[in-house]
């Protein structure tokens, strides 16, 4: 430590200490010589008168061999150490005074030579690192400590390892990491090019992030703690999961288990390494897409793409996957062979429903040609259908089916729907099954009817034709006299408008002895409303296209199977409330229950 005249404090690290030990052995030698001279003088005066001493007998003794323990005691004794110090050679030095120019020159090395006191400072260590520098562990302690414990990661100990080992230990513990986070952990002094070379040896690029390789987590001689599967099978299954995430943000656990033939616990371990579960959707990749790394390192991205192409070819061969099930483009299908995801199941249900309505579509095309020549009648009389007991029970069970308007018969309702009115005499609409009719795009009757149908199905997702006609009559009762809807609406036009509004007809298999009328057996449902429950409702409607009544446990089991994840009780209750009514412990579509 040096205090400069300008008030600056300069700290200089000490790399070694030279101890100057005083030695006074020359004084001991002088005392010994003085005593010898005095003894010689005294002996010379007294020996002149004495006779010569008698000859004495001398006994010769041979020393015994020294044991190892005796030698160690002798070496550690103070007398031996003093002898060693005395034998140490002298080092001759030249002394320079305090005011000498050479002393002044050496003293300048104690002051910082830079213009700023914060440049090149060594005081950047943490307290624990500084303590480790002051008191480094002994070699014996270093051997006893694990190099990289699996459960505890010491950054101070990590930085003592080579760069490749640092990257490997970090990726093995973290599993998934962006490149920017890895650089921040390694420190600002580490070369990013060297890190890029090292990370590609222990990790693979997935959505711009680095995921540790499977053989790092599952070494050659290891096995699964859950199923006992060897490391080779585990690595292959985990590579399949990683590859799936290179194609999509989402993965369904059951699809992975079906392809890899691994137990659910092993597949869950794979997914937990790199993804997080989302209710009703599946497993989403843990980190967002790192577009910045992709743009900054296109050469690394291209190299990783080639590696994934090789892995894909190997997976196709091992799992016998079809090319169409393993797309190379982002917009392709991502499901494995023989499996379909929840979205694909919904698409399949849509296709099946379209096939079931092939006859109806042909009929609508024929009606479309007829309606081009349709004429508007001045007035049409239709019969009014009374409320059935089943509909009354349904209104008691489902409070949302109640209408805010007055539902009593109105004497002013002079114009009603005509059942069985030929399509050729019906009023033309602005669209038929979603296709505009030439010259009728501005028809106010069709626009008003479509607005009523869309608003009604947004409130009640499932309606029979009989119930829809009843609600339409109530709607007419609330309109002022002379409204455009009083011009006359046929059953066919009403059904066409329902289909054009995005609804589907559900072919419910009514029992042979049913007492339901033909209009009560025509069930329509809103297929897509734009909320999160569309997929659940579509699965439910598909169930009722094959079953007249269903138990709740069967519905819940089918929803869980089709959606890939178990639905909560609140979600199942919402879907059932939207589309169904309960009667006698069974569930029916709204309007189809028979007492």
């Amino acid at each position: 430590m040096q205090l400069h005249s300008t008030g600056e404090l300069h700290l200089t690290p000490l790399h070694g200490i030279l101890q100057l030990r005083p030695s006074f052995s020359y004084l001991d030698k002088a005392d010994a010589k003085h005593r010898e001279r005095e003894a010689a003088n005294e002996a010379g005066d007294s020996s002149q008168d004495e006779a010569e001493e008698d000859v004495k007998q001398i006994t010769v003794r041979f020393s015994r061999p020294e044991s190892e323990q005796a030698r160690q005691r002798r070496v550690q004794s103070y007398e031996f150490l003093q002898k060693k110090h005395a034998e140490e050679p002298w080092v001759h030095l030249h002394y320079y005074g305090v005011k000498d120019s050479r002393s002044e020159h050496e003293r300048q090395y104690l002051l910082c030579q830079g213009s700023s006191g914060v440049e090149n400072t060594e005081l950047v260590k943490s307290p624990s690192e500084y303590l480790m520098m002051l008191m480094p562990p002994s070699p014996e302690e270093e051997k006893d400590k694990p190099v990289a414990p699996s459960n505890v990661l010491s950054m101070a100990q990590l930085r003592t390892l080579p760069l490749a080992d640092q990257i490997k230990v970090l990726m093995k513990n973290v599993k998934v990491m962006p490149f920017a986070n890895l650089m921040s952990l390694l420190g600002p002094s580490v070369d990013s090019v060297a890190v890029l070379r090292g990370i590609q040896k222990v990790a693979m690029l997935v959505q711009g992030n680095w995921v540790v390789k499977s053989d790092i987590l599952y070494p050659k001689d290891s096995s699964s703690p859950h199923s006992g599967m060897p490391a080779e099978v585990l690595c292959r299954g985990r590579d399949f999961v990683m590859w799936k995430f290179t194609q999509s943000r989402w993965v369904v656990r059951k699809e992975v288990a079906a392809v890899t033939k691994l137990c659910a616990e092993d597949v869950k371990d794979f997914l937990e390494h790199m993804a997080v579960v989302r209710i009703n959707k599946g497993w989403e990749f843990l980190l967002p897409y790192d577009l910045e790394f992709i743009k900054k390192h296109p050469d690394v991205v291209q190299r990783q793409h080639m590696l994934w192409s090789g892995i894909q070819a190997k997976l196709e061969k091992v799992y016998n996957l079809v090319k169409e099930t393993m797309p190379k483009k982002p917009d392709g299908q991502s499901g494995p062979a023989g499996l379909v995801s929840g979205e694909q199941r919904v698409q399949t249900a849509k296709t099946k429903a379209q096939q079931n309505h092939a006859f109806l579509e042909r009929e609508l095309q024929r009606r479309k040609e007829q309606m081009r020549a349709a004429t508007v009648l001045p007035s049409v009389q239709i019969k009014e259908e009374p409320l059935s007991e089943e509909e009354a029970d349904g209104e008691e069970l489902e409070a949302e089916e109640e209408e805010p308007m007055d539902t009593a018969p109105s004497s002013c309702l002079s114009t009603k729907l005509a059942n069985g009115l030929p399509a050729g005499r019906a009023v033309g609409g602005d669209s038929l099954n979603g296709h505009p009719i030439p010259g009728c795009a501005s028809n106010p009757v069709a626009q008003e009817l479509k607005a009523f149908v869309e608003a009604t199905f947004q409130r009640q997702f499932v309606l029979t034709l009989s119930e829809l006609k009843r609600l339409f009559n109530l709607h007419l009762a609330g309109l002022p006299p002379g409204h455009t809807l009083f011009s006359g609406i046929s059953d066919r036009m009403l059904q066409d408008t329902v289909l054009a509004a995005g609804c589907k007809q559900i072919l419910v298999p009514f029992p042979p002895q049913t007492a339901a009328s033909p209009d009560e057996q025509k069930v329509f449902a809103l297929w897509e409303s734009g909320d999160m429950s569309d997929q659940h409702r579509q699965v439910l409607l598909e169930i009722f296209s094959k079953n007249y009544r269903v138990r709740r446990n069967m519905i819940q089991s089918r929803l869980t199977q089709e959606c890939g994840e178990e639905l909560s009780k609140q979600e199942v209750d919402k879907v059932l409330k939207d589309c169904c009514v309960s009667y006698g412990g069974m569930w029916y579509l709204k309007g189809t229950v028979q007492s």
Side-chain angles (χ1 to χ4, degrees):
M1 180 165 40
Q2 179 78 12
L3 185 60
H4 199 260
S5 59
T6 59
E8 298 176 349
L9 180 64
H10 295 258
L11 301 178
T12 305
L14 299 180
H15 300 287
I17 298 176
L18 179 61
Q19 182 182 5
L20 299 180
R21 178 173 52 84
S23 177
F24 302 102
S25 58
Y26 65 95
L27 297 178
D28 297 337
K29 292 180 179 179
D31 292 340
K33 291 180 179 180
H34 180 68
R35 286 194 295 270
E36 288 178 358
R37 283 196 298 268
E38 290 182 350
N41 293 335
E42 294 177 358
D45 296 339
S46 60
S47 60
Q48 294 178 0
D49 300 333
E50 294 180 358
E52 187 176 352
E53 296 181 358
D54 298 336
V55 178
K56 297 182 179 179
Q57 183 180 0
I58 299 176
T59 304
V60 180
R61 296 180 180 178
F62 296 94
S63 61
R64 293 178 297 178
E66 187 179 26
S67 64
E68 182 64 23
Q69 294 181 353
R71 190 188 68 81
Q72 291 181 358
R73 287 195 298 268
R74 181 175 59 83
V75 170
Q76 296 176 0
S77 64
Y78 177 77
E79 181 182 359
F80 183 82
L81 294 178
Q82 287 294 105
K83 184 179 179 182
K84 280 289 186 182
H85 290 164
E87 293 175 356
E88 183 179 351
W90 285 87
V91 178
H92 298 280
L93 302 177
H94 297 282
Y95 173 75
Y96 300 97
V98 177
K99 297 183 180 181
D100 191 271
S101 61
R102 298 185 182 180
S103 298
E104 186 65 27
H105 177 74
E106 293 294 331
R107 198 179 300 116
Q108 291 298 322
Y109 288 110
L110 299 177
L111 303 178
C112 180
Q113 302 300 320
S115 60
S116 175
V118 298
E119 294 181 357
N120 301 325
T121 177
E122 294 292 335
L123 302 178
V124 295
K125 304 294 183 182
S126 63
S128 59
E129 293 174 336
Y130 185 66
L131 182 61
M132 185 67 67
M133 293 173 61
L134 293 178
M135 301 177 61
S138 62
E140 291 77 10
E141 294 178 353
E142 286 292 332
K143 292 181 180 179
D144 296 338
K145 290 184 179 180
V147 177
S150 59
N151 56 344
V152 177
L153 185 62
S154 171
M155 295 303 297
Q157 185 179 1
L158 179 69
R159 290 177 180 175
T160 61
L161 302 175
L163 179 60
D165 293 340
Q166 292 185 42
I167 299 174
K168 181 177 180 180
V169 171
L170 284 173
M171 292 306 303
K172 188 175 181 180
N173 281 270
V174 182
K175 308 293 190 305
V176 183
M177 189 186 308
F179 185 74
N181 290 14
L182 179 62
M183 290 298 300
S184 64
L185 290 174
L186 293 175
S189 61
V190 180
D191 184 18
S192 61
V193 178
V195 176
L196 273 176
R197 288 198 298 264
I199 189 65
Q200 295 183 65
K201 297 178 181 179
V202 298
M204 296 291 292
L205 190 66
V206 178
Q207 300 188 22
N209 302 281
W210 292 98
V211 182
V212 63
K213 288 184 177 180
S214 301
D215 54 1
I216 301 296
L217 296 179
Y218 302 105
K220 186 176 182 181
D221 297 330
S222 63
S223 60
S224 169
H226 306 293
S227 60
M229 286 289 184
E232 181 182 0
V233 179
L234 296 177
C235 292
R236 191 163 55 236
R238 189 175 180 275
D239 287 345
F240 178 75
V241 175
M242 292 170 62
W243 179 88
K244 290 281 287 181
F245 278 120
T246 64
Q247 307 297 312
S248 173
R249 289 285 302 175
W250 301 91
V251 167
V252 179
R253 178 173 58 87
K254 291 186 178 180
E255 295 180 2
V256 176
V259 173
T260 60
K261 301 299 187 295
L262 294 173
C263 68
E265 289 77 8
D266 288 335
V267 176
K268 187 177 180 181
D269 285 348
F270 299 159
L271 293 171
E272 287 178 343
H273 290 168
M274 63 192 82
V276 58
V277 65
R278 303 293 186 192
I279 303 299
N280 303 330
K281 292 185 178 181
W283 290 80
E284 184 183 12
F285 191 69
L286 188 62
L287 298 177
Y289 193 88
D290 194 349
L291 186 61
E292 181 180 357
F293 180 85
I294 298 296
K295 293 181 178 179
K296 191 175 181 180
H297 304 281
D299 53 339
V300 177
V301 175
Q302 179 64 24
R303 192 179 303 112
Q304 289 291 310
H305 177 72
M306 296 174 61
L307 292 176
W308 278 120
S309 299
I311 294 175
Q312 175 182 339
K314 185 185 299 183
L315 293 174
E316 290 177 357
K317 182 178 180 181
V318 173
Y319 293 131
N320 297 323
L321 300 177
V322 185
K323 290 283 186 180
E324 286 74 8
T325 64
M326 302 193 67
K328 293 180 175 58
K329 295 182 180 181
D331 56 350
Q333 301 294 332
S334 60
L339 295 171
V340 289
S341 63
E343 182 179 355
Q344 291 172 326
R345 293 189 181 98
V346 173
Q347 186 63 33
T348 304
K350 290 181 180 179
T351 305
K352 186 177 180 181
Q354 292 176 358
Q355 294 174 354
N356 292 337
H357 290 79
F359 175 77
L360 182 60
E361 294 294 336
R362 290 194 298 269
E363 182 69 15
L364 290 178
Q365 289 294 336
R366 186 177 64 84
R367 296 294 184 183
K368 179 179 178 180
E369 297 296 333
Q370 294 178 357
M371 291 182 67
R372 290 179 179 176
T375 58
V376 179
L377 296 180
S379 63
V380 179
Q381 296 292 329
I382 64 174
K383 67 178 181 180
E384 182 178 4
E385 293 188 8
L387 228 65
S388 64
E389 295 180 0
E390 294 79 14
E391 293 166 342
D393 292 339
E395 286 187 352
E396 293 176 0
L397 291 171
E398 302 293 333
E400 70 274 8
E401 292 186 8
E402 296 180 4
E403 294 291 328
M405 65 185 68
D406 184 11
T407 58
S410 175
S411 59
C412 66
L413 186 60
S414 58
T415 307
K416 304 170 185 178
L417 290 176
N419 294 326
L421 184 67
R425 300 175 58 193
V427 177
D430 67 335
S431 66
L432 180 62
N433 201 24
H435 302 283
I437 299 176
C440 300
S442 60
N443 192 330
V445 178
Q447 294 177 359
E448 289 288 338
L449 182 60
K450 184 177 181 180
F452 162 76
V453 169
E454 290 178 347
T456 302
F457 275 94
Q458 284 292 337
R459 295 192 304 270
Q460 304 181 35
F461 294 90
V462 177
L463 288 172
T464 62
L465 179 60
S466 175
E467 177 66 10
L468 182 61
K469 289 163 61 176
R470 184 187 71 83
L471 295 176
F472 184 67
N473 285 335
L474 293 176
H475 178 67
L476 289 178
L479 296 178
H483 196 273
T484 55
L485 287 179
F486 287 117
S487 59
I489 304 298
S490 67
D491 286 3
R492 175 56 59 186
M493 184 176 181
L494 183 60
Q495 294 180 56
D496 292 345
T497 305
V498 170
L499 296 176
C503 299
K504 300 284 186 180
Q505 183 175 357
I506 310 302
L507 303 180
V508 180
F510 282 81
Q513 67 277 14
T514 181
S517 65
D519 286 348
E520 292 174 344
Q521 295 185 28
K522 292 182 180 181
V523 183
F524 296 90
L526 182 61
W527 196 250
E528 293 182 355
S529 65
D531 60 10
M532 298 295 294
S533 301
D534 280 343
Q535 180 183 355
H536 306 157
R537 281 192 294 268
Q538 291 168 8
V539 174
L540 182 65
L541 295 174
E542 183 181 354
I543 296 174
F544 280 100
S545 66
K546 300 178 182 179
N547 302 275
Y548 173 62
R549 56 183 181 180
V550 187
R551 294 189 179 276
R552 179 190 174 95
N553 57 358
M554 177 182 175
I555 295 176
Q556 188 161 3
S557 175
R558 182 70 178 277
L559 286 172
T560 302
Q561 178 183 356
E562 296 291 332
C563 297
E565 299 292 339
E566 186 174 0
L567 274 66
S568 63
K569 183 179 182 299
Q570 291 78 8
E571 292 173 324
V572 177
D573 290 343
K574 182 182 184 305
V575 177
L576 292 176
K577 183 179 179 181
D578 291 342
C579 304
C580 305
V581 293
S582 178
Y583 184 81
M586 304 293 290
W587 288 87
Y588 303 78
L589 278 183
K590 289 182 178 179
T592 63
V593 61
Q594 303 293 319
S595 59

